[in-house]
Amino acid sequence: MTTAVGTGKTVKMEILRQDTEGGQTRWEKFEVPYRPGMNVISALMAIQQNPVTADGQKTTPVTWDMNCLEEVCGACSMVINGRPRQSCSTLIDQLEQPVRLEPMKTFPVVRDLQVDRSRMFNALKKVKAWVPIDGSYDLGEGPRMPERKRQWAYELSKCMTCGVCMEACPNVSEKASFIGPAPLSQVRLFNTHPTGAMIKDERLNAIMGDGGLANCGNSQNCVAACPKGIPLTTSIAALNRATTVQMFRNFFGSDHMVD
Ligand code: SF4
Ligand code: FES
């Protein structure tokens, strides 16, 4: 094994390997050349170029997901030394060694560190996390939003569907139906948008049934884990109030006024 020129330093890694979905897992140890400023992905790339374990055994290249490499797309999330986070923005210098990498357990493992986050995208579809503007004709300008509200909404819109809050939440699992904190917060975001509010009642009704808001155990892990600092628990509290009002509207009827 070669080491970084001039430093002789190496990075010790331990990676939980899994060849197929639902297959057996095994830990493999690696040692890669250290470079100042390297992130977890650059260490993974070194393994990809030379897939040989620390005891000299040839192995398969490790698989993981990545895209933007700047903590925007959310694709590269994995559990690093026990904490779910992005491998592109986690620097080796910040970590204790050996650096232990595992896939997030909330999502099905595709292979090695690559997981299938479809449940989050399906949840966004379920709550209609979009502004409904159908039609091929010119709709003109949208309604103006007060600047303070726009700035507030921008913070919630930073969600990159990375799955870290879902992984941190004890109530989200492959076996549980809880929709999870990120899609809930997107309900609040789109219900606040002047045009998005047109289907506010549909979004609230979507989170009032099984697997919805009531399944939140208020552990507060999500808000502590979110790399974007999204106020998830504040969103959930606001949605509790909104769904209570919606429940009365459903029961007593409503004139469907959007407010
Ligand atoms: S709310 Fe935060 S932790 Fe959860 S998916 Fe969005 S960015 Fe990731
Ligand atoms: S590669 Fe996009 S968040 Fe890490």
Side-chain angles (χ1 to χ4, degrees), residues 11-237:
V11 182
K12 290 187 172 55
M13 319 261 301
E14 292 182 8
I15 302 178
L16 191 64
R17 308 291 311 268
Q18 184 173 327
D19 295 337
T20 54
E21 200 173 331
Q24 290 288 316
T25 59
R26 66 187 186 281
W27 284 95
E28 279 183 357
K29 294 182 183 178
F30 298 90
E31 206 166 337
V32 300
Y34 170 83
R35 279 184 291 113
M38 71 193 295
N39 58 8
V40 169
I41 285 189
S42 41
L44 283 167
M45 283 177 158
I47 295 171
Q48 198 175 46
Q49 284 163 9
N50 182 32
V52 175
T53 62
D55 57 4
Q57 301 298 314
K58 188 96 179 129
T59 186
T60 50
V62 178
T63 301
W64 75 96
D65 254 339
M66 62 176 180
N67 195 352
C68 69
L69 299 180
E70 53 181 356
E71 205 180 273
V72 172
C73 75
C76 70
S77 305
M78 59 186 69
V79 180
I80 303 173
N81 285 357
R83 182 181 145 199
R85 53 197 299 191
Q86 279 68 56
S87 48
C88 66
S89 54
T90 305
L91 301 178
I92 292 292
D93 287 336
Q94 299 167 337
L95 299 170
E96 281 189 15
Q97 291 188 34
V99 177
R100 283 171 73 88
L101 305 181
E102 299 165 69
M104 292 192 287
K105 62 183 177 310
T106 301
F107 306 94
V109 173
V110 176
R111 185 178 173 130
D112 295 334
L113 304 169
Q114 185 185 19
V115 296
D116 178 358
R117 289 176 296 141
S118 296
R119 73 174 288 167
M120 288 192 83
F121 301 115
N122 290 338
L124 292 176
K125 282 190 222 162
K126 182 179 175 185
V127 300
K128 301 190 176 174
W130 54 76
V131 174
I133 43 169
D134 286 341
S136 54
Y137 50 92
D138 182 6
L139 293 168
E141 287 183 11
R144 289 178 67 83
M145 282 175 84
E147 179 55 19
R148 273 178 60 195
K149 193 169 171 182
R150 190 200 61 74
Q151 284 183 13
W152 170 88
Y154 179 65
E155 293 306 314
L156 265 65
S157 75
K158 284 182 185 169
C159 177
M160 52 184 174
T161 330
C162 70
V164 161
C165 59
M166 309 279 279
E167 177 73 4
C169 174
N171 292 348
V172 177
S173 76
E174 262 196 84
K175 295 195 179 78
S177 60
F178 180 38
I179 194 168
L184 288 175
S185 193
Q186 294 303 293
V187 169
R188 188 180 181 214
L189 170 66
F190 285 98
N191 278 3
T192 308
H193 187 278
T195 309
M198 288 195 301
I199 53 169
K200 183 176 173 177
D201 55 343
E202 290 179 40
R203 292 197 198 91
L204 292 175
N205 281 315
I207 60 168
M208 284 164 67
D210 180 46
L213 205 50
N215 293 54
C216 169
N218 199 26
S219 74
Q220 315 253 339
N221 289 7
C222 55
V223 71
C226 176
K228 295 296 181 186
I230 295 173
L232 295 163
T233 44
T234 312
S235 286
I236 289 171

